Amino acid sequence: MSIYSPTNPPPGFYVYAYIRTKDSDIGKAGTPYYIGKGIGNRAWRKNKNEHIQNPKDFSAIVIMEAN
C-alpha cells in the first residue's frame, strides 16, 4: 500500500474520495461525500469553480484506484 500526499501523488490518473468525518443529516461519518478523478495533486488542490469543499484533514482523502 502506498501513502499519497500533495507532494507524492499517485502516478497517472486516479480515483479519489472525500470522506465525512462527522455524522450529518445526509450521511454518516466514514462515508464518502465526493468521488473524483484526477492527475497530479488534484485531490488535494482547491478548485474555486467547484462547490465541493476539500477536507481540511488530508487523512479524509482516500485514493480508491491509481494508474
Side-chain angles (χ1 to χ4, degrees):
M1 180 171 108
S2 298
I3 297 177
Y4 299 114
S5 69
T7 57
N8 181 35
F13 285 99
Y14 56 89
V15 177
Y16 61 95
Y18 293 163
I19 307 297
R20 287 181 183 87
T21 55
K22 295 189 254 183
D23 287 346
S24 71
D25 294 337
I26 299 170
K28 297 211 177 268
T31 61
Y33 67 90
Y34 181 77
I35 304 287
K37 175 184 153 191
I39 191 168
N41 69 350
R42 172 67 189 98
W44 298 272
R45 187 177 62 227
K46 182 174 175 148
N47 187 341
K48 57 186 164 184
N49 293 331
E50 288 191 30
H51 300 285
I52 303 299
Q53 295 284 329
N54 292 34
K56 291 178 179 22
D57 180 5
F58 286 166
S59 68
I61 299 173
V62 176
I63 304 299
M64 309 286 288
E65 188 69 38
N67 206 8

